[in-house]
């Protein structure tokens, strides 16, 4: 059995992205002491190193991320940790949940295949029942909310940034039938980020 881990950034007031489906506006009021901190990059890279499959979802999110990280890999001014993350995300086995992404869309990328939205639960269940390194879900709030409702998420890693959104898209779209047990807490003084790792059990 493989473990499925969800990792997500979240603001202090529980927002996933702003009303324009971006996060750039959140950083307008970032404390100057935290400017340039890259602890989140280091943490997500460590999760990717240990994973065997990455699950992405949504046309905008999946293609946007694949395109962005391809650019980082080709950018000589990018930091070493971001270049490592880019290499990992492009090399790892990727499953993209989408009804609109085509083979032509994915042609520039390797080790990636699509799964229709209606088959997401069965595909993830099959992945979890196999052997190998863990399954990682980054972003994809709508998808992992649904996977949590279906009892398919093993761990939830929430990294709270010291930012107040004020409005935007909430992290959770309803109350899933789960109980959370704390596995660990970590803080990074250089960024103000706080990680809470939760085991996800049936309620």
């Amino acid at each position: 059995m493989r473990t499925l881990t969800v990792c997500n950034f979240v603001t202090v007031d529980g927002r996933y992205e702003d009303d324009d489906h971006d996060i750039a506006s959140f950083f307008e009021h970032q404390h100057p002491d935290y400017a340039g901190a890259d602890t989140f990059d280091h943490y997500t890279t460590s999760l990717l190193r240990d994973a065997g499959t990455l699950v992405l979802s949504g046309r905008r999110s999946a293609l946007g991320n694949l395109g962005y990280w391809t650019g980082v890999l080709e950018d000589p001014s990018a930091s070493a940790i971001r270049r490592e993350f880019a290499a990992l995300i492009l090399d790892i086995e990727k499953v993209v949940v989408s009804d609109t992404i085509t083979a032509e869309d994915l042609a520039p990328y390797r080790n990636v295949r699509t799964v229709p939205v209606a088959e997401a639960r069965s595909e993830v269940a099959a992945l979890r029942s196999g052997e190998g390194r863990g399954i990682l879900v980054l972003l994809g709030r709508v998808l992992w909310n649904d996977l949590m409702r279906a009892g398919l998420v093993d761990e939830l890693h929430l990294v709270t940034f010291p930012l107040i959104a004020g409005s935007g898209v909430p992290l959770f779209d309803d109350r899933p039938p789960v109980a959370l047990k704390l596995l660990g807490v970590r803080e990074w003084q250089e960024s103000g980020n706080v990680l809470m790792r939760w085991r996800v059990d049936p309620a």
Side-chain angles (χ1 to χ4, degrees):
M1 178 71 74
R2 302 169 72 189
T3 297
L4 188 145
T5 298
V6 168
C7 179
N8 236 118
F9 145 93
V10 63
T11 64
V12 171
D13 52 343
R15 300 297 173 171
Y16 172 82
E17 58 189 6
D18 66 20
D19 293 321
D20 294 322
H21 302 289
D22 198 354
I23 63 170
S25 66
F26 294 164
F27 291 86
E28 292 171 355
H29 293 173
Q30 183 184 36
H31 196 285
D33 287 355
Y34 301 142
D38 60 359
T39 55
F40 189 63
D41 291 335
H42 283 271
Y43 186 67
T44 51
T45 300
S46 71
L47 292 178
L48 264 181
R49 290 188 197 114
D50 294 336
T53 302
L54 174 67
V55 180
L56 300 170
S57 68
R59 181 181 184 86
R60 177 182 55 83
S61 178
L63 294 181
N65 271 281
L66 291 173
Y68 175 81
W69 290 109
T70 297
V72 169
L73 192 61
E74 298 169 353
D75 180 3
S77 67
S79 67
I81 193 62
R82 290 177 69 78
R83 288 174 61 83
E84 180 184 356
F85 184 92
L88 289 168
I89 203 171
L90 295 172
D91 284 342
I92 194 172
E93 176 192 42
K94 292 172 287 292
V95 176
V96 177
V97 177
S98 173
D99 289 335
T100 62
I101 292 178
T102 67
E104 183 178 359
D105 292 325
L106 296 177
Y109 312 110
R110 56 188 180 274
N111 300 331
V112 59
R113 60 187 175 88
T114 59
V115 172
V117 172
E119 298 176 14
R121 288 187 176 189
S122 59
E123 176 65 25
V124 168
L127 287 170
R128 285 178 75 242
S129 67
E131 299 295 328
R133 291 186 293 170
I135 304 160
L136 179 63
V137 180
L138 294 175
L139 306 173
R141 179 192 70 90
V142 173
L143 171 66
W144 66 253
N145 269 261
D146 184 65
L147 296 178
M148 189 174 290
R149 286 191 292 270
L152 295 171
V153 174
D154 298 293
E155 292 189 16
L156 178 62
H157 296 201
L158 297 181
V159 180
T160 301
F161 278 42
L163 305 169
I164 300 172
S167 65
V169 179
L171 190 65
F172 297 98
D173 54 23
D174 61 11
R175 184 185 184 190
V178 300
L180 302 178
K181 182 175 177 62
L182 187 65
L183 295 175
V185 177
R186 180 178 176 183
E187 64 180 52
W188 290 273
Q189 292 292 333
E190 60 269 41
S191 65
N193 293 352
V194 179
L195 163 71
M196 291 183 291
R197 296 174 50 238
W198 305 95
R199 192 180 75 200
V200 183
D201 294 334

